[in-house]
Amino acid sequence: MTEPDDNLTEEAISNLLQKVGPLETPPEDMTSRVHAAVEQTWQREVREQKQRRWFQYAAGIAVVTASIYLGLTIQTGEPNPPIAHLDSSSEGIFWSADGSTWQPLEDKPMTAGSWLRTDNSASVSFAHGLNARINTDTSLQLINDSEVHLIEGTIYLDSYDKPTDLPFRVSTRFGTATDIGTQFIVNSGGTAWSVQVREGMVDVSNDQMNQEVHAGEKITITQTGDAASTFVAPFDDSWRWAEATRPAFSIEGRNLVSYLKWVARETGRDLRFAGPDTEREASETLLHGSIDHLTASESLEYVLQSTDIRLIDGPENVIMVKTQISH
Amino acid sequence: MHNEDLALARQILSGDEQVFNEFFEQYFPRLYRFGLSRLDDESLIEDMVQNTMMKAMKSMKTYRGEASMFTWLCQICRNEINMHYRKVSRAAPEVPADDDLIRPILEQLESEESLISEVQAEQTRRLVIEVLDFLPRNYGTALEWKYIWGLSVVEIAKRLELTELAAQSLLARARTAFRKAIDEISPQLNQAGQTS
């Protein structure tokens, strides 16, 4: 038996729903198309999950092996090896073993688990080749050689020289950015985080979303999960601090093409030669001297002055060069 | 904690095709209607809902059951729609959920008087549908079958593979949840309704 009040409520609900009418259902052809696309993604994800589980199993065995090795290493007194080194001045860079007691970095080892805090920007290179540039007022923890936990501030990553396909992750308290062969910036602030991609692609995820961010895109995600995407050119001013924090680049004995490619990558521009003569001339030109203390942009005219190659006007996103020698 | 949804996520990731198909049948129409409330282009709705479900598949391993599965899916869909509007440099249209829209629904529930013109307003209709879609699993469907399609409790019981008594109980819980959901949309109006 139902209570009288419940009857009244039921009648009111009944009246309301009858006026609302049948709920729309998606057209059949749309349902088939979407089902096929989603099913494909699901099957791929299931396959990858199985592979991941297999890798975890394999990694488990590796951990046991590593533990035995570590045990032996500790017994022989061998230290925890550094996973990265500083490419720039250590002035204004602080190191901590536990994230609470800080000391000037100086020659402290950047081992897995150690913390860094910057008053000045810094360039750090990992043993496997990945270059990280840490902006001022940033703190982070080096989790291992494939992950950095960004507590606060901004980090730029360039995986160009990283030979392995192992993804590198930047985790924040809001979510994680995983690089897929790229240059990108991650910023973590008080109420939001952002990922800005210059080249390649980054996988951005948290417990509510998983998204691929492509070159030229910047995604900002608030702590409530709202996401906004904007366009940021690869040569936008927002990349400049990273260019200014570059690791050392020796031009001594290097050919001009190799140097120009480096400038293009550092400045987010494309490199174009006016013709095959120019490209041949550039590949045959060997450089001497040093560009220390200059940014890639600043060094360009300085270096070209000592060669027969000159910059010519082109689109903003292109470094265009031409030989002065007539063939 | 939404343990049932969490278990569903794990079953989906285990590769159970039947579970995947049930998941699709349950959530695709609801997300489609969610898209209908926010977009007016059928092909765009298809794109947004498809992207949402594909991203959900990729992120299913990160689902922790803190929100219901449908709330989680809607959050992904909302982000997709917002990003679409940003890409085309337009602001996403506001989804009306203000007091003027909710009042007729509450009044309809408080009295037997007809408010046909207001209830038939498309926006209000969409809001009621959204409430139905956000109700826990089977509740919205049971209410739709009973009060829109006019199915008997026996027929509903048969469709849901329940006993008649269990179907009656489910309908009672569904009505309570529906009423509660409507109330929660506007606590202030609800309070006013109770004191008037």
Side-chain angles (χ1 to χ4, degrees):
Chain A
M1 286 287 281
T2 52
E3 295 295 319
D5 280 347
D6 190 45
N7 269 335
L8 183 66
T9 304
E10 182 175 0
E11 199 174 343
I13 292 172
S14 174
N15 286 340
L16 177 67
L17 293 183
Q18 279 171 36
K19 282 160 194 159
V20 163
L23 275 59
E24 293 93 345
T25 51
E28 272 183 33
D29 55 340
M30 182 196 286
T31 305
S32 310
R33 283 193 300 270
V34 176
H35 185 276
V38 178
E39 188 176 34
Q40 206 176 12
T41 308
W42 166 68
Q43 284 168 341
R44 195 180 316 126
E45 193 57 33
V46 168
R47 268 199 309 275
E48 284 174 10
Q49 275 286 113
K50 283 179 182 163
Q51 281 171 352
R52 261 179 236 133
R53 274 196 289 270
W54 187 89
F55 278 123
Q56 278 166 2
Y57 172 73
I61 293 170
V63 165
V64 171
T65 313
S67 302
I68 294 165
Y69 169 77
L70 200 63
L72 293 171
T73 306
I74 289 166
Q75 280 172 3
T76 56
E78 207 172 295
N80 183 10
I83 54 171
H85 66 270
L86 190 72
D87 297 314
S88 51
S89 161
S90 66
E91 198 183 326
I93 317 297
F94 299 88
W95 176 93
S96 171
D98 56 9
S100 58
T101 313
W102 295 91
Q103 311 168 47
L105 174 66
E106 294 170 347
D107 55 357
K108 308 280 183 310
M110 291 191 200
T111 51
S114 58
W115 301 65
L116 294 175
R117 199 188 74 207
T118 58
D119 284 351
N120 294 333
S121 58
S123 172
V124 169
S125 286
F126 285 78
H128 49 52
L130 180 120
N131 175 241
R133 300 181 203 174
I134 309 166
N135 207 352
T136 53
D137 304 320
T138 296
S139 52
L140 55 83
Q141 186 184 17
L142 303 168
I143 304 295
N144 51 46
D145 67 354
S146 60
E147 183 174 346
V148 159
H149 183 66
L150 181 62
I151 311 296
E152 191 178 24
T154 310
I155 184 169
Y156 167 96
L157 288 126
D158 186 337
S159 59
Y160 182 70
D161 288 329
K162 183 162 67 75
T164 66
D165 292 332
L166 194 71
F168 192 89
R169 303 187 335 145
V170 179
S171 58
T172 72
R173 63 196 164 104
F174 304 112
T176 301
T178 307
D179 90 295
I180 309 170
T182 188
Q183 293 172 308
F184 67 110
I185 283 177
V186 180
N187 171 271
S188 181
T191 57
W193 70 303
S194 67
V195 178
Q196 174 176 331
V197 182
R198 192 180 214 176
E199 191 191 87
M201 194 169 70
V202 175
D203 188 71
V204 172
S205 64
N206 60 23
D207 58 357
Q208 291 182 331
M209 64 176 289
N210 182 273
Q211 186 169 335
E212 288 165 353
V213 183
H214 298 264
E217 254 187 295
K218 177 182 180 178
I219 186 169
T220 304
I221 306 162
T222 66
Q223 61 187 357
T224 55
D226 291 324
S229 180
T230 49
F231 174 77
V232 178
F235 50 89
D236 186 80
D237 283 348
S238 56
W239 302 99
R240 287 286 165 89
W241 72 265
E243 191 194 329
T245 316
R246 69 171 175 84
F249 183 85
S250 170
I251 60 166
E252 182 62 37
R254 198 181 282 270
N255 76 31
L256 186 57
V257 172
S258 159
Y259 162 78
L260 288 171
K261 282 183 179 170
W262 172 77
V263 175
R265 186 165 177 84
E266 280 291 317
T267 57
R269 290 178 160 82
D270 293 332
L271 172 63
R272 280 193 212 146
F273 298 96
D277 288 348
T278 304
E279 189 165 4
R280 190 172 55 248
E281 174 74 23
S283 67
E284 288 167 359
T285 305
L286 291 182
L287 302 175
H288 301 284
S290 161
I291 53 166
D292 289 353
H293 312 298
L294 294 174
T295 67
S297 307
E298 288 164 352
S299 71
L300 191 55
E301 285 206 37
Y302 166 78
V303 169
L304 290 181
Q305 272 170 12
S306 64
T307 72
D308 292 318
I309 306 280
R310 290 288 176 268
L311 278 175
I312 57 171
D313 286 341
E316 195 184 8
N317 61 331
V318 173
I319 295 172
M320 194 175 277
V321 289
K322 190 173 189 295
T323 179
Q324 289 185 312
I325 300 171
S326 53
H327 291 266
Chain B
M1 197 70 176
H2 297 261
N3 291 326
E4 206 177 320
D5 286 344
L6 199 56
L8 173 69
R10 285 179 187 152
Q11 281 180 293
I12 289 170
L13 286 174
S14 75
D16 187 327
E17 183 135 27
Q18 193 185 334
V19 173
F20 167 77
N21 286 331
E22 282 169 10
F23 167 84
F24 186 86
E25 280 163 24
Q26 192 186 351
Y27 290 108
F28 176 58
R30 290 160 81 176
L31 279 172
Y32 170 77
R33 289 189 285 271
F34 185 82
L36 267 182
S37 310
R38 288 155 176 83
L39 300 160
D40 49 14
D41 178 339
E42 189 96 330
S43 66
L44 195 54
I45 294 169
E46 179 175 345
D47 285 350
M48 296 294 116
V49 175
Q50 180 172 306
N51 287 348
T52 298
M53 296 197 85
M54 286 165 70
K55 283 187 177 166
M57 286 301 131
K58 287 183 188 170
S59 310
M60 199 60 86
K61 56 187 174 292
T62 67
Y63 175 71
R64 295 202 294 257
E66 287 161 357
S68 76
M69 179 65 78
F70 190 55
T71 303
W72 182 69
L73 290 168
C74 288
Q75 179 65 40
I76 299 173
C77 194
R78 207 173 280 125
N79 284 340
E80 282 296 301
I81 293 170
N82 285 340
M83 280 212 261
H84 162 75
Y85 278 110
R86 286 197 175 95
K87 271 183 189 162
V88 297
S89 304
R90 271 170 58 198
E94 291 290 324
V95 178
D98 56 16
D99 291 355
D100 290 341
L101 202 60
I102 297 158
R103 192 186 302 275
I105 302 171
L106 289 168
E107 287 173 353
Q108 176 74 8
L109 289 168
E110 293 295 337
S111 74
E112 290 181 67
E113 285 178 27
S114 172
L115 287 162
I116 293 169
S117 60
E118 284 162 294
V119 173
Q120 279 184 337
E122 183 56 19
Q123 289 176 338
T124 308
R125 186 176 164 274
R126 295 243 65 89
L127 193 70
V128 175
I129 290 173
E130 202 148 291
V131 168
L132 284 175
D133 279 335
F134 266 96
L135 289 180
R137 209 175 179 180
N138 286 339
Y139 283 13
T141 311
L143 290 175
E144 186 190 3
W145 286 348
K146 171 81 175 147
Y147 301 110
I148 300 178
W149 293 14
L151 298 189
S152 68
V153 174
V154 176
E155 286 169 307
I156 292 171
K158 202 173 164 189
R159 284 180 175 224
L160 292 175
E161 297 177 348
L162 297 171
T163 64
E164 195 179 327
L165 197 65
Q168 266 179 344
S169 168
L170 175 76
L171 276 165
R173 289 199 306 276
R175 284 192 298 271
T176 306
F178 179 77
R179 174 62 193 270
K180 191 165 171 269
I182 293 282
D183 288 356
E184 280 174 1
I185 292 172
S186 179
Q188 286 177 339
L189 280 177
N190 179 38
Q191 205 172 17
Q194 283 175 346
T195 52
S196 63

